[in-house]
Short mmCIF file of all heavy atoms in Angstrom, two decimals:
data_model
loop_
_atom_site.label_atom_id
_atom_site.label_comp_id
_atom_site.label_asym_id
_atom_site.label_seq_id
_atom_site.Cartn_x
_atom_site.Cartn_y
_atom_site.Cartn_z
N PHE G 17 -68.88 18.05 -104.38
CA PHE G 17 -70.01 17.84 -103.38
C PHE G 17 -69.87 18.64 -102.21
O PHE G 17 -70.81 19.33 -101.75
CB PHE G 17 -70.01 16.30 -102.98
CG PHE G 17 -70.79 16.06 -101.64
CD1 PHE G 17 -72.13 16.25 -101.49
CD2 PHE G 17 -69.91 15.76 -100.55
CE1 PHE G 17 -72.62 16.00 -100.31
CE2 PHE G 17 -70.56 15.48 -99.36
CZ PHE G 17 -71.96 15.77 -99.12
N MET G 18 -68.55 18.67 -101.65
CA MET G 18 -68.48 19.63 -100.43
C MET G 18 -68.78 21.00 -100.67
O MET G 18 -69.38 21.75 -99.86
CB MET G 18 -67.03 19.31 -99.89
CG MET G 18 -66.59 18.02 -99.39
SD MET G 18 -64.99 17.68 -98.83
CE MET G 18 -64.95 18.93 -97.34
N LEU G 19 -68.23 21.46 -101.76
CA LEU G 19 -68.44 22.96 -102.10
C LEU G 19 -69.79 23.25 -102.50
O LEU G 19 -70.43 24.30 -102.11
CB LEU G 19 -67.40 23.39 -103.26
CG LEU G 19 -65.96 23.34 -102.88
CD1 LEU G 19 -65.18 23.84 -103.99
CD2 LEU G 19 -65.52 24.11 -101.56
N ASP G 20 -70.43 22.54 -103.33
CA ASP G 20 -71.60 22.97 -104.24
C ASP G 20 -72.85 22.33 -103.31
O ASP G 20 -73.95 22.95 -103.52
CB ASP G 20 -71.65 22.41 -105.43
CG ASP G 20 -70.50 22.93 -106.37
OD1 ASP G 20 -70.02 24.17 -105.92
OD2 ASP G 20 -70.22 22.35 -107.25
N GLU G 21 -72.74 21.29 -102.55
CA GLU G 21 -73.91 20.53 -102.03
C GLU G 21 -73.98 20.73 -100.53
O GLU G 21 -74.99 20.97 -99.92
CB GLU G 21 -74.03 19.13 -102.50
CG GLU G 21 -74.20 19.07 -104.07
CD GLU G 21 -74.30 17.70 -104.39
OE1 GLU G 21 -75.34 16.99 -104.12
OE2 GLU G 21 -73.36 16.98 -104.88
N LEU G 22 -72.77 20.48 -99.84
CA LEU G 22 -72.71 20.59 -98.44
C LEU G 22 -72.59 21.89 -97.88
O LEU G 22 -73.23 22.30 -96.76
CB LEU G 22 -71.52 19.69 -97.96
CG LEU G 22 -71.26 19.60 -96.43
CD1 LEU G 22 -72.58 19.10 -95.62
CD2 LEU G 22 -70.11 18.70 -96.15
N ARG G 23 -71.68 22.83 -98.41
CA ARG G 23 -71.50 24.10 -97.90
C ARG G 23 -72.85 24.91 -97.74
O ARG G 23 -73.10 25.50 -96.79
CB ARG G 23 -70.50 24.89 -98.71
CG ARG G 23 -69.09 24.73 -98.21
CD ARG G 23 -68.14 25.90 -98.68
NE ARG G 23 -66.93 25.61 -98.35
CZ ARG G 23 -65.74 26.33 -98.78
NH1 ARG G 23 -66.06 27.39 -99.45
NH2 ARG G 23 -64.49 26.11 -98.26
N PRO G 24 -73.68 24.82 -98.91
CA PRO G 24 -75.07 25.57 -98.68
C PRO G 24 -75.78 25.18 -97.50
O PRO G 24 -76.54 25.96 -96.91
CB PRO G 24 -75.62 25.32 -100.10
CG PRO G 24 -74.53 25.16 -100.91
CD PRO G 24 -73.62 24.31 -100.13
N VAL G 25 -75.85 23.87 -97.22
CA VAL G 25 -76.64 23.28 -96.04
C VAL G 25 -76.05 23.84 -94.73
O VAL G 25 -76.74 24.34 -93.82
CB VAL G 25 -76.56 21.78 -96.03
CG1 VAL G 25 -77.17 21.25 -94.84
CG2 VAL G 25 -77.21 21.15 -97.34
N ILE G 26 -74.61 23.91 -94.57
CA ILE G 26 -74.15 24.44 -93.36
C ILE G 26 -74.30 25.90 -93.36
O ILE G 26 -74.60 26.39 -92.14
CB ILE G 26 -72.63 24.10 -93.39
CG1 ILE G 26 -72.26 22.61 -93.41
CG2 ILE G 26 -71.87 24.70 -92.11
CD1 ILE G 26 -73.09 21.82 -92.43
N ASP G 27 -74.28 26.75 -94.44
CA ASP G 27 -74.47 28.07 -94.39
C ASP G 27 -75.95 28.52 -93.94
O ASP G 27 -76.12 29.46 -93.35
CB ASP G 27 -74.34 28.70 -95.83
CG ASP G 27 -72.88 28.60 -96.19
OD1 ASP G 27 -72.05 28.41 -95.47
OD2 ASP G 27 -72.61 28.93 -97.54
N ALA G 28 -76.82 27.53 -94.15
CA ALA G 28 -78.29 27.64 -93.84
C ALA G 28 -78.43 27.44 -92.38
O ALA G 28 -79.50 27.74 -91.79
CB ALA G 28 -79.16 26.90 -94.71
N MET G 29 -77.61 26.53 -91.76
CA MET G 29 -77.71 26.19 -90.39
C MET G 29 -77.27 27.20 -89.40
O MET G 29 -77.79 27.42 -88.35
CB MET G 29 -76.94 24.82 -90.27
CG MET G 29 -77.74 23.62 -90.83
SD MET G 29 -76.77 22.13 -90.65
CE MET G 29 -76.94 21.86 -88.85
N VAL G 30 -76.06 27.76 -89.64
CA VAL G 30 -75.41 28.66 -88.78
C VAL G 30 -74.80 29.87 -89.46
O VAL G 30 -74.80 29.83 -90.82
CB VAL G 30 -74.20 27.94 -88.12
CG1 VAL G 30 -74.71 26.86 -87.24
CG2 VAL G 30 -73.06 27.43 -89.08
N LYS G 31 -74.47 30.86 -88.77
CA LYS G 31 -73.83 32.07 -89.35
C LYS G 31 -72.41 31.75 -89.69
O LYS G 31 -71.57 31.49 -88.67
CB LYS G 31 -74.06 33.28 -88.45
CG LYS G 31 -73.52 34.54 -88.99
CD LYS G 31 -73.80 35.67 -88.10
CE LYS G 31 -73.22 37.06 -88.74
NZ LYS G 31 -73.44 38.13 -87.68
N VAL G 32 -72.00 31.76 -90.87
CA VAL G 32 -70.78 31.38 -91.29
C VAL G 32 -69.65 32.48 -91.67
O VAL G 32 -70.13 33.39 -92.41
CB VAL G 32 -70.77 30.41 -92.49
CG1 VAL G 32 -69.44 30.04 -92.96
CG2 VAL G 32 -71.65 29.11 -92.10
N ASP G 33 -68.45 32.47 -91.16
CA ASP G 33 -67.49 33.28 -91.69
C ASP G 33 -66.85 32.65 -92.91
O ASP G 33 -66.05 31.70 -92.79
CB ASP G 33 -66.55 33.47 -90.50
CG ASP G 33 -65.24 34.42 -90.81
OD1 ASP G 33 -65.19 34.78 -92.10
OD2 ASP G 33 -64.41 34.71 -90.01
N LYS G 34 -67.28 33.20 -94.07
CA LYS G 34 -66.93 32.54 -95.14
C LYS G 34 -65.22 32.75 -95.48
O LYS G 34 -64.71 32.01 -96.39
CB LYS G 34 -67.59 33.24 -96.44
CG LYS G 34 -69.07 32.80 -96.41
CD LYS G 34 -69.83 33.33 -97.61
CE LYS G 34 -71.31 33.15 -97.42
NZ LYS G 34 -71.69 31.67 -97.35
N GLY G 35 -64.63 33.63 -94.76
CA GLY G 35 -63.20 33.79 -94.91
C GLY G 35 -62.48 32.91 -93.94
O GLY G 35 -61.11 33.07 -93.88
N ASP G 36 -63.09 32.24 -93.19
CA ASP G 36 -62.37 31.35 -92.07
C ASP G 36 -63.02 29.93 -92.12
O ASP G 36 -63.55 29.40 -91.20
CB ASP G 36 -62.48 31.93 -90.69
CG ASP G 36 -61.58 31.38 -89.67
OD1 ASP G 36 -60.68 30.52 -89.98
OD2 ASP G 36 -61.56 31.86 -88.54
N GLN G 37 -62.73 29.27 -93.04
CA GLN G 37 -63.19 27.82 -93.33
C GLN G 37 -61.86 26.94 -93.42
O GLN G 37 -60.88 27.47 -94.01
CB GLN G 37 -64.05 27.68 -94.52
CG GLN G 37 -65.38 28.56 -94.42
CD GLN G 37 -66.49 28.10 -95.23
OE1 GLN G 37 -66.82 27.09 -95.25
NE2 GLN G 37 -66.89 29.18 -96.02
N SER G 38 -61.87 25.71 -92.91
CA SER G 38 -60.72 24.94 -92.80
C SER G 38 -61.08 23.44 -93.20
O SER G 38 -62.20 23.03 -93.24
CB SER G 38 -60.32 24.90 -91.35
OG SER G 38 -59.94 26.18 -90.90
N LEU G 39 -60.11 22.80 -93.62
CA LEU G 39 -60.13 21.40 -94.13
C LEU G 39 -59.22 20.57 -93.33
O LEU G 39 -57.94 20.97 -93.42
CB LEU G 39 -59.97 21.25 -95.67
CG LEU G 39 -59.86 19.88 -96.30
CD1 LEU G 39 -61.20 19.14 -96.14
CD2 LEU G 39 -59.50 19.92 -97.69
N MET G 40 -59.61 19.45 -92.87
CA MET G 40 -58.71 18.55 -92.07
C MET G 40 -58.87 17.06 -92.59
O MET G 40 -59.92 16.59 -92.63
CB MET G 40 -59.02 18.52 -90.61
CG MET G 40 -58.08 17.56 -89.71
SD MET G 40 -58.60 17.47 -87.98
CE MET G 40 -58.28 19.22 -87.49
N GLY G 41 -57.72 16.52 -92.94
CA GLY G 41 -57.76 15.06 -93.37
C GLY G 41 -56.43 14.41 -92.97
O GLY G 41 -55.48 14.86 -92.73
#
């Protein structure tokens, strides 16, 4: 869900550096 459904939404909202993404849990 995070990769296939959420990421495209964020990519459409802001200019994304696809090589600088992080995960925190």
Side-chain angles (χ1 to χ4, degrees):
F17 155 73
M18 293 179 63
L19 295 180
D20 300 339
E21 300 182 72
L22 178 57
R23 270 195 186 181
V25 174
I26 302 304
D27 290 351
M29 291 179 64
V30 297
K31 185 178 181 181
V32 174
D33 182 350
K34 296 185 184 297
D36 195 356
Q37 304 197 54
S38 305
L39 175 64
M40 179 189 294

